[in-house]
Amino acid sequence: MTRHPTFARLALCLVIPAASLAWPRPVSAQDTAYAGVQRAAAELMRTSGTPGVAVVVVRGDRVDFARGFGVADVETGAPMRTDLLAQIGSVTKPMTAALVLTLAHEGRLDAGVPVGRYVQGLAPRLAGIPLGRLLSQSSGLAEMPGDDGTREESQLLAFARTLGDTIAMLPPGTSFSYSNLNFSLAGLAAQQAADTPFADLLDARLLQPLGMRRTTFRPMLAMTWPRAAGHAGRPGEAATVVRPLADDSRIWPAGYLFSSADEVARFMAALMNGGRVGGVQAIPAAVVDSMLRPRVHVPSMRDSLRYGYGLFFDVQRGRENAWHAGTLRGYSAVMRFLPVERVGVVVIGNRDGVRMDRIAEAAIADALRASGIDLDGPAQPEPGPAVALSRAEMARYTGRYAGRFTAQVVARDGGLVLRRLNQELPLVPLGNHRFTVQSPGAPRRDVLVIIPPEGDRIGYMQMWLWTLPRVADAGR
């Protein structure tokens, strides 16, 4: 592989001055315009036991609302603030995508080229995956959950070389399937192409130009800045401080950034404004255009859900949303924005496994209302009516499926049943290989897709964000 030492030196030296985003309106005006956010934040903290939430809303090219709610640390009682660092989990992924696409824009990488061109020593099936398939979560790789691993930065490359071909479940392009390995390998390709450690490369080429001065992967650096403690606990129990924090340098590009609501908002503002933030062209406009283009349909979620390069896209009440959520031990986060209306929000909470969507949706509604726009479009439609399947048709779908989790589909009493986690749930066929299933406690029916094997095509189930290859026929 050809290295670029000159480029690497330039990358580390490149620091573009970044002006600050305009600070928000007076508090009294915020209280009036963003009453919905305040209600949603209070309700989420009460029902989920989240100690604190930080919310930053950007409208156009300026911060319109910034507020911390609750406490940053249950042991000290320090108030939550929008400048406090927290681990943002998979909200890291769109930043990794922006870095990779910036190098592609400069001719250092090519989204259509197999990743093995840039990373030597990979197993053959991994080496043949196009870089764009990694960024769009359509590579066919199995998932690798994170949280605990190593702090040795050299393991980003060393670990990738230990992965065998069996980690490649399906041929690239078969189906969307969310995997941290996709972004681990994509970030590694950037590191190898630039001959620069990934953390340094992201800092020099993306974070510093954006004015994200405190954002970092390195815990020993993050701890020198004011930080919100992470919290966890069983449902219904009081939150306790998490010790130790999650860290795994093998998959840093997929998560693990320490950042704040203030600084993530700078990245979001750049995505809403053609790469510009604070009067500076921090990201090439062509890179932003590429990121805002959906690439892959996610068929098992609501009909409008798609994924691009590091961003989800959906339509809510008639308006296109771009977003990514993340969670790590102790923290939960979401970044959501409307590219056309140029309104967005960053929400970071200091308890893990908590969906911040209701706060984000309330913030966007408040911001649009301040612009004279009411969200009066239709809500997400429910799945269509059931269709009948013959015995022969049902037999095509039965079998055992395994990936991120294991599930089995069996025929019973003239219908299909999904077995998972010692539960048996009826499957309702919708046609075109789509089914719905009502999970216990879920507010609405989940949609799943089951593609039967045919010829050389491998059968698989697409449920939630993951694809599960068919590994056995029914009864085996």
Side-chain angles (χ1 to χ4, degrees):
M1 182 187 70
T2 302
R3 301 291 183 104
H4 303 281
T6 301
F7 170 74
R9 289 194 296 271
L10 287 173
L12 293 176
C13 295
L14 179 61
V15 178
I16 302 174
S20 297
L21 282 172
W23 201 244
R25 303 177 296 186
V27 171
S28 59
Q30 290 185 16
D31 288 342
T32 300
Y34 286 93
V37 172
Q38 297 174 73
R39 288 192 299 269
E43 177 67 8
L44 179 133
M45 289 190 295
R46 183 185 66 81
T47 57
S48 68
T50 301
V53 173
V55 182
V56 175
V57 180
V58 176
R59 188 156 61 104
D61 59 358
R62 70 187 296 272
V63 171
D64 208 44
F65 178 86
R67 182 79 58 82
F69 301 89
V71 299
D73 187 326
V74 296
E75 295 178 353
T76 67
M80 190 67 164
R81 306 197 314 260
T82 60
D83 66 332
L84 298 180
L85 292 188
Q87 287 186 296
I88 61 173
S90 289
V91 180
T92 302
K93 286 181 172 70
M95 299 186 201
T96 293
L99 171 65
V100 171
L101 294 171
T102 295
L103 299 190
H105 178 70
E106 298 169 353
R108 304 291 179 176
L109 294 170
D110 187 330
V113 168
V115 68
R117 173 83 64 85
Y118 308 107
V119 183
Q120 296 178 348
L122 296 178
R125 290 178 66 180
L126 272 68
I129 298 173
L131 187 57
R133 289 296 181 188
L134 297 172
L135 293 177
S136 64
Q137 301 274 22
S138 59
S139 69
L141 292 180
E143 169 65 305
M144 177 188 166
D147 274 6
D148 297 298
T150 175
R151 292 181 183 173
E152 293 293 330
E153 296 186 32
S154 62
Q155 287 300 304
L156 181 60
L157 173 60
F159 171 69
R161 288 174 170 168
T162 69
L163 296 171
D165 276 337
T166 56
I167 203 73
M169 304 182 300
L170 294 167
T174 300
S175 174
F176 174 93
S177 192
Y178 193 91
S179 173
N180 288 323
L181 290 177
N182 285 320
F183 278 78
S184 179
L185 290 174
L188 176 58
Q191 170 181 288
Q192 298 303 100
D195 194 20
T196 304
F198 180 76
D200 293 330
L201 185 64
L202 186 78
D203 186 63
R205 300 308 313 275
L206 186 76
L207 303 180
Q208 292 300 321
L210 285 167
M212 300 173 68
R213 307 298 192 206
R214 300 181 180 182
T215 301
T216 181
F217 286 105
R218 296 179 172 120
M220 297 302 289
L221 180 57
M223 67 183 293
T224 67
W225 297 107
R227 182 178 63 84
H231 299 79
R234 295 178 181 177
E237 293 183 356
T240 57
V241 174
V242 165
R243 295 183 175 92
L245 295 176
D247 196 15
D248 191 347
S249 58
R250 300 173 302 169
I251 51 175
W252 267 3
Y256 298 97
L257 267 178
F258 290 85
S259 192
S260 66
D262 283 343
E263 294 206 347
V264 175
R266 298 188 68 85
F267 173 63
M268 181 181 69
L271 294 181
M272 294 194 303
N273 292 282
R276 295 183 64 81
V277 60
V280 173
Q281 189 72 44
I283 305 173
V287 169
V288 174
D289 288 343
S290 185
M291 288 190 67
L292 295 182
R293 190 181 312 156
R295 309 277 173 171
V296 181
H297 185 218
V298 185
S300 66
M301 305 292 279
R302 50 190 173 272
D303 288 343
S304 68
L305 189 64
R306 293 144 291 147
Y307 198 82
Y309 287 157
L311 287 171
F312 285 98
F313 299 89
D314 61 18
V315 176
Q316 293 199 15
R317 299 200 177 275
R319 288 178 168 79
E320 181 86 352
N321 283 239
W323 60 276
H324 213 294
T327 188
L328 272 179
R329 189 168 55 222
Y331 301 99
S332 300
V334 67
M335 174 184 73
R336 179 179 284 273
F337 62 97
L338 278 58
V340 174
E341 290 81 2
R342 294 168 60 227
V343 166
V345 59
V346 176
V347 186
I348 296 177
N350 57 358
R351 184 165 184 160
D352 58 39
V354 179
R355 295 293 300 266
M356 299 288 160
D357 303 85
R358 289 189 179 180
I359 299 177
E361 291 163 7
I364 288 175
D366 283 348
L368 289 176
R369 197 172 295 112
S371 300
I373 302 172
D374 285 324
L375 283 176
D376 55 0
Q380 282 289 338
E382 290 296 319
V387 301
L389 294 180
S390 68
R391 288 181 179 271
E393 288 173 322
M394 285 191 289
R396 299 180 66 203
Y397 299 110
T398 60
R400 189 164 63 89
Y401 302 81
R404 169 70 181 253
F405 51 88
T406 300
Q408 187 174 17
V409 177
V410 298
R412 176 179 295 168
D413 300 328
L416 292 174
V417 173
L418 176 72
R419 290 177 176 170
R420 182 174 178 268
L421 297 177
N422 298 318
Q423 296 175 334
E424 294 194 354
L425 306 174
L427 289 175
V428 179
L430 302 179
N432 196 28
H433 306 307
R434 298 172 73 245
F435 300 81
T436 63
V437 61
Q438 183 75 46
S439 300
R444 56 177 288 160
R445 300 185 67 84
D446 295 315
V447 177
L448 59 87
V449 174
I450 307 176
I451 303 297
E454 185 173 327
D456 294 334
R457 185 182 70 190
I458 300 173
Y460 63 89
M461 175 188 296
Q462 218 284 341
M463 187 172 185
W464 298 315
L465 297 180
W466 297 281
T467 295
L468 315 176
R470 181 159 138 169
V471 296
D473 293 334
R476 295 181 59 188

